[in-house]
Amino acid sequence: MSARVLAAARWAAAQHHQQRRKGRHDTPYINHPLAVAELLARVGGVTDEAILCAALLHDVVEDTDATLADVEARFGAEVAGYVAEVSDDKTLTKAERKRQQVLKAPHKSVGAKLIKLADKTSNVGDLLDDPPAWPASRLRAYVAWSREVIDGLRGVNPALEAAFDATAARVDAELPTDDD
Ligand code: ZN
Protein backbone atom coordinates (compact mmCIF):
# COMPACT_ATOMS: atom_id res chain seq x y z
CA MET A 1 0.00 0.00 0.00
CA SER A 2 1.42 3.31 -0.99
CA ALA A 3 1.92 6.39 1.14
CA ARG A 4 -0.07 8.45 -1.39
CA VAL A 5 -3.18 6.25 -1.06
CA LEU A 6 -2.99 6.38 2.72
CA ALA A 7 -2.49 10.15 2.58
CA ALA A 8 -5.65 10.41 0.47
CA ALA A 9 -7.57 8.39 3.08
CA ARG A 10 -6.25 10.59 5.86
CA TRP A 11 -7.00 13.87 4.07
CA ALA A 12 -10.47 12.71 3.02
CA ALA A 13 -11.19 11.80 6.67
CA ALA A 14 -10.13 15.29 7.76
CA GLN A 15 -12.31 16.93 5.07
CA HIS A 16 -15.42 14.87 5.92
CA HIS A 17 -14.85 14.90 9.70
CA GLN A 18 -18.07 16.67 10.63
CA GLN A 19 -20.30 14.74 8.21
CA ARG A 20 -22.45 11.69 8.72
CA ARG A 21 -24.06 9.39 6.14
CA LYS A 22 -27.79 9.74 5.44
CA GLY A 23 -28.62 6.50 7.23
CA ARG A 24 -30.01 5.89 10.66
CA HIS A 25 -26.79 4.57 12.17
CA ASP A 26 -25.07 7.99 12.32
CA THR A 27 -22.16 6.47 10.37
CA PRO A 28 -19.13 8.74 9.86
CA TYR A 29 -19.09 9.92 6.22
CA ILE A 30 -15.54 8.66 5.61
CA ASN A 31 -16.79 5.06 5.86
CA HIS A 32 -18.34 5.54 2.40
CA PRO A 33 -15.22 6.60 0.42
CA LEU A 34 -13.27 3.91 2.28
CA ALA A 35 -15.87 1.35 1.19
CA VAL A 36 -15.68 2.57 -2.43
CA ALA A 37 -11.89 2.25 -2.53
CA GLU A 38 -12.00 -1.14 -0.83
CA LEU A 39 -14.57 -2.44 -3.35
CA LEU A 40 -12.38 -1.27 -6.22
CA ALA A 41 -9.34 -3.09 -4.83
CA ARG A 42 -10.98 -6.26 -3.51
CA VAL A 43 -13.80 -6.87 -6.01
CA GLY A 44 -12.54 -4.96 -9.02
CA GLY A 45 -8.87 -5.92 -8.69
CA VAL A 46 -7.94 -2.27 -9.22
CA THR A 47 -4.32 -1.49 -8.27
CA ASP A 48 -3.93 1.87 -10.03
CA GLU A 49 -2.91 4.34 -7.33
CA ALA A 50 -4.48 7.40 -8.94
CA ILE A 51 -7.85 5.64 -9.21
CA LEU A 52 -7.70 4.45 -5.59
CA CYS A 53 -6.75 7.95 -4.39
CA ALA A 54 -9.58 9.48 -6.41
CA ALA A 55 -12.01 6.92 -4.97
CA LEU A 56 -11.04 8.02 -1.46
CA LEU A 57 -11.43 11.67 -2.49
CA HIS A 58 -14.46 11.30 -4.77
CA ASP A 59 -16.86 13.29 -2.58
CA VAL A 60 -14.57 15.96 -1.11
CA VAL A 61 -15.22 18.58 -3.80
CA GLU A 62 -18.95 17.90 -3.96
CA ASP A 63 -19.55 17.68 -0.22
CA THR A 64 -16.85 19.69 1.61
CA ASP A 65 -15.19 23.06 1.08
CA ALA A 66 -12.16 21.41 -0.56
CA THR A 67 -11.57 22.46 -4.19
CA LEU A 68 -10.21 20.64 -7.21
CA ALA A 69 -7.15 22.90 -6.93
CA ASP A 70 -6.56 21.58 -3.38
CA VAL A 71 -6.83 17.99 -4.64
CA GLU A 72 -4.45 18.69 -7.53
CA ALA A 73 -1.89 20.41 -5.28
CA ARG A 74 -1.82 17.47 -2.87
CA PHE A 75 -2.38 14.45 -5.12
CA GLY A 76 -1.64 15.55 -8.68
CA ALA A 77 -3.52 16.33 -11.87
CA GLU A 78 -4.54 12.75 -12.70
CA VAL A 79 -6.28 12.26 -9.35
CA ALA A 80 -7.90 15.70 -9.59
CA GLY A 81 -9.10 14.86 -13.10
CA TYR A 82 -10.90 11.74 -11.87
CA VAL A 83 -12.42 13.64 -8.94
CA ALA A 84 -13.66 16.30 -11.38
CA GLU A 85 -15.26 13.62 -13.56
CA VAL A 86 -17.18 12.07 -10.68
CA SER A 87 -18.29 15.33 -9.02
CA ASP A 88 -21.73 16.77 -9.79
CA ASP A 89 -22.10 20.40 -10.82
CA LYS A 90 -23.58 21.89 -7.65
CA THR A 91 -24.97 24.89 -9.53
CA LEU A 92 -27.59 22.58 -11.08
CA THR A 93 -30.80 21.42 -9.39
CA LYS A 94 -30.79 18.00 -7.75
CA ALA A 95 -33.05 16.61 -10.50
CA GLU A 96 -30.82 17.99 -13.25
CA ARG A 97 -27.71 16.61 -11.56
CA LYS A 98 -29.28 13.16 -11.47
CA ARG A 99 -30.24 13.45 -15.15
CA GLN A 100 -26.70 14.57 -16.05
CA GLN A 101 -25.22 11.54 -14.28
CA VAL A 102 -27.25 9.25 -16.57
CA LEU A 103 -26.39 11.23 -19.72
CA LYS A 104 -22.67 11.59 -18.99
CA ALA A 105 -21.92 8.09 -17.66
CA PRO A 106 -21.07 6.53 -21.07
CA HIS A 107 -18.60 9.32 -21.89
CA LYS A 108 -16.44 9.09 -18.78
CA SER A 109 -12.87 7.75 -18.64
CA VAL A 110 -12.36 4.13 -17.61
CA GLY A 111 -11.02 5.24 -14.21
CA ALA A 112 -14.04 7.45 -13.54
CA LYS A 113 -16.39 4.64 -14.64
CA LEU A 114 -14.74 2.26 -12.16
CA ILE A 115 -15.14 4.77 -9.31
CA LYS A 116 -18.80 5.39 -10.23
CA LEU A 117 -19.51 1.63 -10.35
CA ALA A 118 -18.14 1.16 -6.83
CA ASP A 119 -19.80 4.38 -5.59
CA LYS A 120 -23.25 3.30 -6.77
CA THR A 121 -22.73 -0.19 -5.33
CA SER A 122 -21.86 1.30 -1.94
CA ASN A 123 -24.79 3.72 -2.00
CA VAL A 124 -27.34 1.10 -3.07
CA GLY A 125 -26.03 -1.39 -0.49
CA ASP A 126 -26.42 1.24 2.21
CA LEU A 127 -30.15 1.47 1.44
CA LEU A 128 -30.39 -1.86 3.28
CA ASP A 129 -27.37 -1.81 5.54
CA ASP A 130 -27.76 1.76 6.85
CA PRO A 131 -31.10 2.91 5.50
CA PRO A 132 -32.12 6.55 5.38
CA ALA A 133 -35.58 7.34 6.74
CA TRP A 134 -37.16 7.36 3.29
CA PRO A 135 -40.42 5.73 2.19
CA ALA A 136 -39.91 2.49 0.25
CA SER A 137 -41.06 4.22 -2.95
CA ARG A 138 -38.18 6.69 -2.71
CA LEU A 139 -35.71 3.88 -1.96
CA ARG A 140 -36.94 1.99 -5.04
CA ALA A 141 -36.69 5.11 -7.20
CA TYR A 142 -33.09 5.54 -6.04
CA VAL A 143 -32.25 1.98 -7.11
CA ALA A 144 -33.95 2.51 -10.49
CA TRP A 145 -31.97 5.71 -11.12
CA SER A 146 -28.73 4.02 -10.03
CA ARG A 147 -29.39 1.23 -12.56
CA GLU A 148 -29.77 3.84 -15.32
CA VAL A 149 -26.40 5.36 -14.42
CA ILE A 150 -24.77 1.91 -14.19
CA ASP A 151 -26.07 0.95 -17.62
CA GLY A 152 -23.93 3.76 -19.03
CA LEU A 153 -20.83 2.51 -17.19
CA ARG A 154 -20.82 -1.14 -18.29
CA GLY A 155 -17.99 -2.79 -20.18
CA VAL A 156 -15.05 -1.81 -17.98
CA ASN A 157 -15.06 -4.32 -15.11
CA PRO A 158 -17.38 -7.37 -15.10
CA ALA A 159 -16.71 -8.15 -11.41
CA LEU A 160 -17.73 -4.67 -10.26
CA GLU A 161 -20.76 -4.71 -12.56
CA ALA A 162 -21.81 -8.08 -11.11
CA ALA A 163 -21.34 -6.73 -7.59
CA PHE A 164 -23.67 -3.82 -8.38
CA ASP A 165 -26.25 -6.15 -9.95
CA ALA A 166 -26.18 -8.49 -6.95
CA THR A 167 -26.50 -5.59 -4.52
CA ALA A 168 -29.39 -4.00 -6.44
CA ALA A 169 -31.14 -7.39 -6.65
CA ARG A 170 -30.74 -7.82 -2.88
CA VAL A 171 -32.33 -4.41 -2.32
CA ASP A 172 -35.19 -5.25 -4.70
CA ALA A 173 -35.80 -8.51 -2.83
CA GLU A 174 -35.68 -7.04 0.65
CA LEU A 175 -37.42 -3.68 0.31
CA PRO A 176 -41.04 -3.67 1.35
CA THR A 177 -43.41 -3.63 -1.62
CA ASP A 178 -45.45 -0.69 -0.37
CA ASP A 179 -45.16 2.19 2.04
CA ASP A 180 -47.28 1.02 4.94
ZN1 ZN B 1 -19.98 8.63 -3.09
Side-chain angles (χ1 to χ4, degrees):
M1 182 50 64
S2 79
R4 186 163 67 134
V5 175
L6 292 170
R10 183 182 181 189
W11 193 67
Q15 293 307 307
H16 289 297
H17 78 284
Q18 285 177 320
Q19 296 174 311
R20 293 288 180 274
R21 294 286 285 163
K22 289 188 185 71
R24 294 168 180 160
H25 300 325
D26 208 29
T27 308
Y29 196 91
I30 190 62
N31 288 25
H32 165 65
L34 287 171
V36 170
E38 192 265 348
L39 272 171
L40 283 169
R42 175 174 53 85
V43 176
V46 172
T47 56
D48 183 287
E49 250 186 41
I51 294 172
L52 294 174
C53 286
L56 291 163
L57 298 166
H58 79 273
D59 280 332
V60 298
V61 172
E62 205 174 293
D63 292 339
T64 79
D65 55 16
T67 65
L68 281 173
D70 296 332
V71 174
E72 182 167 350
R74 285 170 180 271
F75 301 102
E78 190 183 9
V79 172
Y82 289 137
V83 173
E85 279 194 88
V86 300
S87 295
D88 285 352
D89 178 350
K90 294 275 255 196
T91 65
L92 302 175
T93 64
K94 182 108 182 167
E96 183 58 22
R97 284 157 58 189
K98 295 186 91 160
R99 203 176 76 89
Q100 290 292 326
Q101 283 201 31
V102 174
L103 292 176
K104 289 184 173 169
H107 309 294
K108 295 199 180 296
S109 67
V110 170
K113 284 181 176 175
L114 292 169
I115 295 166
K116 294 290 283 184
L117 277 164
D119 185 30
K120 288 285 176 274
T121 303
S122 169
N123 284 335
V124 167
D126 277 354
L127 298 182
L128 287 179
D129 299 333
D130 185 15
W134 294 351
S137 58
R138 183 171 173 193
L139 295 169
R140 277 196 302 277
Y142 188 91
V143 177
W145 165 71
S146 299
R147 277 199 171 93
E148 281 189 73
V149 178
I150 291 288
D151 284 344
L153 302 170
R154 290 185 190 275
V156 291
N157 191 301
L160 282 173
E161 291 161 38
F164 174 83
D165 291 337
T167 303
R170 186 167 67 92
V171 176
D172 281 343
E174 294 184 29
L175 274 186
T177 51
D178 53 43
D179 287 333
D180 44 48

